[in-house]
Amino acid sequence: MRPREEWIRDLVDDLRPVHRALTPATMAALWLLASWIFVVGATLATGSLRPGVGAQLASAPRFALECLLGLT
C-alpha cells in the first residue's frame, strides 16, 4: 500500500480546471425553453390544432389564456 501523502500527491497532479456550472435560474430557463419547444413540436406534429384556431384565439381571450397556460 502506498503512503497516504504519495497517493494524495498523485491525485492532485491530475487535477484540471473545470468550467463553472450554470446557475439554477439559467438551468430552469433552459429546461422551460426545451420543454416548451417539445410541447409545441408535439402539438404541431400530431396535427391537433383545429381549423380556425387563430380566429378563436383572437376572439376568445379565455381560450387564448387557457392555451397560454397549457404551453407554460
Side-chain angles (χ1 to χ4, degrees):
M1 186 176 216
R2 297 187 304 182
R4 183 176 180 181
E5 289 79 19
E6 181 183 338
W7 182 66
I8 292 173
R9 194 175 323 107
D10 287 344
L11 288 174
V12 171
D13 287 341
D14 290 336
L15 290 179
R16 289 178 179 77
V18 295
H19 297 287
R20 293 186 81 120
L22 298 175
T23 64
T26 303
M27 289 299 295
L30 288 173
W31 181 86
L32 181 64
L33 178 65
S35 63
W36 185 80
I37 290 171
F38 176 77
V39 167
V40 169
T43 301
L44 294 175
T46 58
S48 58
L49 294 178
R50 61 183 176 261
V53 72
Q56 190 174 7
L57 284 171
S59 65
R62 181 176 176 174
F63 178 63
L65 178 62
E66 290 172 354
C67 288
L68 179 63
L69 287 174
L71 285 175
T72 302

